[in-house]
Amino acid sequence: MTLTTPAGAPAREGRRRALGLKADVRNLSLLGVLAALVAVGGFTRPAEFLATSNLQLVLTQASVIGVVTVGMTFVITSGGIDLSVGAIVALASVWATTLATQEFGFAGILFTAVAVGLGCGLVNGVLVAYGGMVPFIATLAMLASARGLALQITDGKTQIVTVPSVLDLGVPDAYVLGIPPLVLVFAAVTAAGWLLLNRTTFGRRTIAVGGNPEAARLAGIDVRRQRLSLYLLSGLCCGIAAFLLIVLAGSGQNTNGNLYELDAIAAAIIGGTLLSGGRGTIVGSVLGVLVFTTITNIFALNNLQSDVQQIAKGAIIVAAVLVQRRTVRDGDA
């Protein structure tokens, strides 16, 4: 019996390899940008920037937004968007740091942060997948609601964490071989996200839904359930990030997570995840997070205005989108 190759298969395989090569080049380019930023930081403020404590700080700060970005990468890959991630982080952090929650100690704070994140993700998923709402509108409504509820819970006040087992995670004595525990959590989430997207049926379904929802439906994929699962995943990442932020700041505030949605989307975009869906990269997103976090650190050490920093970020985003458009056009040629 002779096996025949389906028509068009060689061409599809060629395009797939070409896109894979472009992804490798893009990741190498981001590594180059990151190396250049490290060189700039080392040249302008060598004593401060290259200090072990500052490098640990950069990685720790990247961990919080990085966990959010992993979840955002999945949502964008599916062709959706989540504008509520920052507000969910804020709501989860203040709900998990109320006096009533802190009475249950470490487990109570962690459980509450994750549960609130999952609950908000569930609402987003139901509205988008089963309510037929446009993701932009549904998550924008969640953004406003979560921010308002967070403000109502705190009454505009900072909620101080008094649970020693939580606070101890942020002290140098808790570091493992010089690596902060928050960075280890970020690494674990990143590894899990990479495996989920690249080595499981769930990841292939996510890419299929983002590439062509109707074709995915005809192929037997439950598109609505897949989208619901993705927003649940994003909410879970927000809950984990909220707990990390509680450890980092030692408090819960309604202003937590401010502009996280923009930073997460920007990191995913410059990492190579298509805004239109159908392609995502966890490695690229993590590199994007590190690039933005390093830029922020360099600007802070050099006492530069935040408005210049935002302009620089905006320019990077525009450049990344233009590169994406050319990549997609070349891949379709």
Side-chain angles (χ1 to χ4, degrees):
M1 180 178 179
T2 303
L3 296 177
T4 58
T5 303
R12 288 196 298 271
E13 182 64 24
R15 285 195 297 269
R16 191 179 302 112
R17 290 181 179 177
L19 288 175
L21 180 60
K22 289 178 183 294
D24 292 338
V25 172
R26 183 171 49 249
N27 289 340
L28 289 174
S29 299
L30 284 173
L31 282 173
V33 171
L34 187 59
L37 288 173
V38 171
V40 170
F43 178 77
T44 57
R45 284 290 187 274
E48 297 89 348
F49 181 80
L50 296 178
T52 302
S53 59
N54 183 64
L55 297 178
Q56 290 172 335
L57 176 63
V58 170
L59 291 175
T60 301
Q61 292 176 336
S63 299
V64 180
I65 185 62
V67 171
V68 174
T69 303
V70 170
M72 181 69 78
T73 300
F74 277 88
V75 173
I76 296 179
T77 300
S78 72
I81 199 73
D82 191 348
L83 300 179
S84 64
V85 291
I88 294 175
V89 169
L91 178 58
S93 69
V94 299
W95 205 324
T97 54
T98 59
L99 292 177
T101 302
Q102 292 194 51
E103 290 181 358
F104 293 94
F106 183 100
I109 293 176
L110 176 59
F111 174 81
T112 302
V114 171
V116 171
L118 284 172
C120 292
L122 176 63
V123 173
N124 281 336
V126 169
L127 291 177
V128 172
Y130 295 94
M133 292 185 67
V134 177
F136 182 92
I137 300 300
T139 58
L140 185 62
M142 175 58 72
L143 183 157
S145 301
R147 282 288 178 194
L149 184 55
L151 179 60
Q152 187 177 51
I153 291 174
T154 62
D155 195 24
K157 301 176 182 177
T158 300
Q159 298 178 164
I160 304 299
V161 177
T162 59
V163 179
S165 56
V166 173
L167 299 175
D168 288 345
L169 290 177
V171 300
D173 289 342
Y175 292 2
V176 179
L177 300 177
I179 303 175
L182 275 65
V183 178
L184 296 176
V185 173
F186 176 36
V189 172
T190 298
W194 186 88
L195 289 172
L196 189 62
L197 184 61
N198 296 283
R199 293 291 184 268
T200 68
T201 302
F202 182 88
R204 290 192 290 272
R205 288 175 177 172
T206 299
I207 295 172
V209 169
N212 191 324
E214 182 59 21
R217 185 186 66 81
L218 293 175
I221 297 175
D222 190 332
V223 176
R224 292 190 299 179
R225 185 172 63 183
Q226 185 69 19
R227 285 176 173 162
L228 173 61
S229 300
L230 290 166
Y231 281 99
L232 277 171
L233 178 60
S234 180
L236 172 62
C237 288
C238 289
I240 296 173
F243 180 77
L244 298 183
L245 191 57
I246 290 171
V247 173
L248 182 62
S251 63
Q253 304 177 57
N254 66 285
T255 56
N256 282 344
N258 188 35
L259 297 181
Y260 272 21
E261 56 278 358
L262 298 183
D263 287 342
I265 293 171
I269 291 173
I270 72 168
T273 299
L274 287 181
L275 269 176
S276 56
R279 189 184 74 205
T281 164
I282 298 296
V283 174
S285 295
V286 170
L287 290 175
V289 169
L290 293 175
V291 166
F292 279 130
T293 307
T294 305
I295 290 175
T296 300
N297 184 259
I298 292 174
F299 273 65
L301 290 177
N302 287 276
N303 297 317
L304 296 176
Q305 298 295 325
S306 59
D307 54 352
V308 180
Q309 174 184 325
Q310 297 303 323
I311 293 173
K313 286 185 177 181
I316 292 174
I317 295 171
V318 171
V321 172
L322 291 176
V323 170
Q324 272 195 8
R325 292 184 61 184
R326 182 168 182 174
T327 299
V328 173
R329 186 168 60 248
D330 292 345
D332 292 337

